[in-house]
Amino acid sequence: MTLLFKVDNDRGLAWKNLFQRHAPDIDVRLWPDIGNPEEIRYLATWQPPPDVHLLLPNLQAIFATSAGVDQFDLSCLPPRVEVVRMLDPGIAQAIVEYACFAVLALHRKMPGYLAQQRQRQWHVQPWVAAHQQRVGVMGLGNLGMAVLDRLRAFGFNLKGWARSAKQIDAVECFAGTQQLPQFLGQCDILICLLPLTQDTRGILNASTLAALPRGAKLINLGRGAHLIEADLLLALDSGHLEHAVLDVLNDEPPAANHPFWLHSGIWLTPHIGAMTQPETAFEVLLANIRRHQQGQAMIGTIDRTMGY
Ligand code: NDP
């Protein structure tokens, strides 16, 4: 059974060591040293090589090394190749940390206090209790649920929105495009944790941002293309939105003259929300390969028609 990794060198070696130690029956190869391509059954990568189905004629599954698969051109892959996203518990832990950091910073008005400090101002802003702060999560999947689980402990007034209806303890849930305006109207802090698909591209736009309450804050942890950047600038500059924390952008890194760099209403981080760690992801990947070998369904297989 042969598994090919197409990842950066250091990570490739870390993966290979883990397999050698814990699953020596699996022959691990590191791109570009693929050996006989006909032997390769599995590929783990962020981005498959072009014409992967021609290059690897017996490929049965592609494991994304990321939680999202929006970077894959699914139309090029034959139906026999299953596409599985990464459900690394380390990713969920890191996204929870980032979301909690950003929500708490916004809840406790840190952007304003940091600006005050630079102006030598000692001024107390009006207090908002956690139960009065409405925090909404777009995307109630693996990551959205993990974030809500942790935010619940702070006592925030929690909302959630997904494609299908859900029941989540202490979270008021909304579903589908019809209930989107109702959901948005109740989010003082909005966190985007959606996958990027044809339905969610540009979902953070002039009309959805306008549906948020005045003074709302945005945290984008999904993908840059969820956000229409010009619309965010207008919403911030008009005072409708108060602040945005963005981990992902359309172009990463943004151009030197990108208006977000120096905008006082924006905090930017260079897509550091989470990164797959071989140490925490190994068990998940191996368990899926074993399931596949035994003819069982793999966990995290995406629905090609939905794109996630
Ligand atoms: P999941 O597939 O587990 O969950 C996706 C959620 O989004 C589901 O609840 C789904 O609804 C909902 N959804 C999908 N399409 C729509 C739609 N059109 N309208 C409403 N809801 C929709 O994904 P994960 O939680 O694992 O990951 C989410 C995303 O987070 C990734 O795709 C990636 O883009 C991003 N990410 C960012 C990282 C970073 O470093 N910033 C790191 C890791 C991931 P339903 O439940 O009804 O199917």
Side-chain angles (χ1 to χ4, degrees), residues 77-98:
L77 297 172
R80 70 177 157 81
V81 178
E82 291 192 64
V83 178
V84 186
R85 62 204 192 82
M86 179 50 77
L87 291 170
D88 172 11
I91 293 185
Q93 166 69 20
I95 288 290
V96 166
E97 288 171 5
Y98 191 112

Side-chain angles (χ1 to χ4, degrees), residues 44-274:
T45 187
W46 156 256
Q47 186 65 276
D51 294 329
V52 63
H53 58 294
L54 302 177
L55 180 70
L56 308 175
N58 296 318
L59 189 65
Q60 292 172 2
I62 299 183
F63 297 98
T65 51
S66 51
V69 294
D70 50 283
Q71 72 280 13
F72 288 7
D73 182 356
L74 297 171
S75 64
C76 291
L77 297 172
R80 70 177 157 81
V81 178
E82 291 192 64
V83 178
V84 186
R85 62 204 192 82
M86 179 50 77
L87 291 170
D88 172 11
I91 293 185
Q93 166 69 20
I95 288 290
V96 166
E97 288 171 5
Y98 191 112
C100 288
F101 137 75
V103 168
L104 290 174
L106 296 172
H107 169 56
R108 298 305 304 268
K109 303 178 189 285
M110 285 304 143
Y113 284 123
L114 294 176
Q116 280 186 203
Q117 180 188 343
R118 285 189 286 273
Q119 290 159 14
R120 298 165 198 268
Q121 286 177 2
W122 192 267
H123 173 65
V124 177
Q125 303 284 342
W127 174 260
V128 178
H131 71 270
Q132 294 169 319
Q133 191 78 259
R134 297 169 299 178
V135 182
V137 177
M138 299 177 97
L140 302 174
N142 192 41
L143 301 180
M145 294 288 273
V147 164
L148 283 165
D149 267 351
R150 202 63 71 87
L151 288 178
R152 191 181 290 115
F154 293 103
F156 292 116
N157 181 343
L158 298 174
K159 318 282 173 191
W161 180 74
R163 206 170 43 80
S164 55
K166 312 251 185 272
Q167 283 198 326
I168 309 172
D169 180 34
V171 180
E172 188 182 359
C173 292
F174 301 83
T177 37
Q178 246 189 342
Q179 293 186 352
L180 181 58
Q182 201 187 341
F183 162 75
L184 292 171
Q186 299 181 52
C187 295
D188 300 312
I189 298 177
L190 175 68
I191 307 173
C192 177
L193 267 170
L194 288 166
L196 181 62
T197 67
Q198 56 185 12
D199 292 334
T200 64
R201 184 174 292 274
I203 195 165
L204 302 170
N205 55 43
S207 122
T208 49
L209 296 178
L212 293 167
R214 189 167 178 81
K217 297 111 186 147
L218 169 70
I219 300 165
N220 190 11
L221 269 168
R223 289 285 182 260
H226 283 131
L227 174 69
I228 307 294
E229 296 184 346
D231 292 355
L232 174 67
L233 285 175
L234 287 174
L236 287 168
D237 294 345
S238 72
H240 183 67
L241 278 201
E242 195 176 289
H243 199 84
V245 180
L246 307 176
D247 184 47
V248 284
L249 289 182
N250 262 308
D251 292 319
E252 297 177 1
N257 63 352
H258 195 290
F260 285 3
W261 283 116
L262 297 178
H263 198 290
S264 60
I266 295 177
W267 286 353
L268 281 186
T269 52
H271 203 143
I272 44 94

